[in-house]
Amino acid sequence: MQAFFHQSEFDQPHPSRARALVKAHPEVRQLMVRNPYTALIALSIVVTQTAIAYWMGTLGFGFWWLSLLIAYCIGAFANHANYVIIHDATHNLIFRSKSWNKMVCVLADLPNLAPGAMGFRVYHLKHHSHQGDYEYDADLANHWEARLVGNKWYRKALWLMLFPFFQLTRPPRLKAITMWDRWFFVNFLCAAAFFISHLHFSFRLVCIRWGLAGFRSITHTISTRRRSAIMGRLISSR
């Protein structure tokens, strides 16, 4: 394994980096506040995506090329933006209430093909509390993943494109994690209701939605995902 990765013996860096940042730039604390208006951004993105999908559904399959273009140029970025909001809500950066933040997660997760907001919340918080611990941190690749991918660039490219599927193989190795709670089922039922409503109004619309959600997975994987992780730890520790 050491042939593929640099293994550090230091503790996880989030707390020390946060302290160093605040010490060097005390003014940054003014930005470390919750912003309830983020929920409105999530709602506007979901409404916009749904409207685009419905419009494309009315055009018919003859415009499949336009559907792919819009999915790539608009849908992927919109879904990625909502996944960043899911990340912020996971760190309780939108509302003070955990339940309200979870509701924002469910809302922002609606356009995705498969509901994953509550699962992300569980594993991501565990990642912060046990960063670098193979038995708790779902962000660490499986040992067999590292051996399979190695240092080949084309293998890494395929790994990135299939990253959501690789992530699904990691939970069985993790310890002391309970994901099947009521919020998980709320997440699943809301996503199912959203999907069924699409089926009711237009089957073609569902096909467009699959494209929009699929591109999100790739874009989210190759983009930065942690712009507020340090802020989340500071606020949650207050």
Side-chain angles (χ1 to χ4, degrees), residues 64-205:
W64 63 267
W65 57 271
L66 182 59
S67 301
L68 292 179
L69 183 63
I70 292 178
Y72 188 85
C73 296
I74 299 177
F77 292 95
N79 275 39
H80 175 67
N82 259 358
Y83 217 95
V84 172
I85 293 176
I86 291 174
H87 174 267
D88 287 5
T90 293
H91 286 286
N92 300 318
L93 290 171
I94 300 177
F95 299 107
R96 185 172 295 276
S97 168
K98 289 184 178 181
S99 295
W100 281 78
N101 282 290
K102 290 178 180 179
M103 284 190 280
V104 174
C105 285
V106 172
L107 170 66
D109 201 32
L110 289 178
N112 295 325
L113 182 61
M118 289 300 103
F120 173 81
R121 181 182 177 90
V122 172
Y123 292 118
H124 187 67
L125 292 178
K126 191 66 68 173
H127 152 75
H128 277 281
S129 61
H130 295 80
Q131 189 177 31
D133 190 329
Y134 185 76
E135 295 180 342
Y136 291 91
D137 189 353
D139 276 19
L140 290 180
N142 291 309
H143 289 159
W144 63 265
E145 284 183 68
R147 289 191 294 266
L148 178 66
V149 176
N151 287 322
K152 302 294 185 181
W153 69 266
Y154 58 89
R155 291 186 181 182
K156 290 183 179 181
L158 290 174
W159 178 76
L160 284 175
M161 292 187 66
L162 300 174
F163 188 67
F165 300 100
F166 281 104
Q167 279 190 314
L168 292 176
T169 67
R170 298 176 185 175
R173 79 160 195 257
L174 304 179
K175 294 183 177 180
I177 292 181
T178 302
M179 187 178 70
W180 306 94
D181 60 5
R182 62 172 180 168
W183 279 104
F184 175 86
F185 290 104
V186 168
N187 189 189
F188 178 83
L189 291 175
C190 288
F194 190 74
F195 180 78
I196 292 173
S197 67
H198 282 29
L199 278 176
H200 175 73
F201 287 108
S202 172
F203 177 77
R204 293 170 297 182
L205 184 151

Side-chain angles (χ1 to χ4, degrees), residues 26-60:
E27 67 277 7
V28 80
R29 280 193 176 274
Q30 299 176 11
L31 303 176
M32 296 177 180
V33 295
R34 294 179 176 88
N35 186 356
Y37 291 104
T38 305
L40 295 179
I41 297 176
L43 177 61
S44 65
I45 293 174
V46 172
V47 170
T48 299
Q49 287 180 282
T50 303
I52 292 175
Y54 182 80
W55 171 62
M56 290 305 306
T58 61
L59 294 180

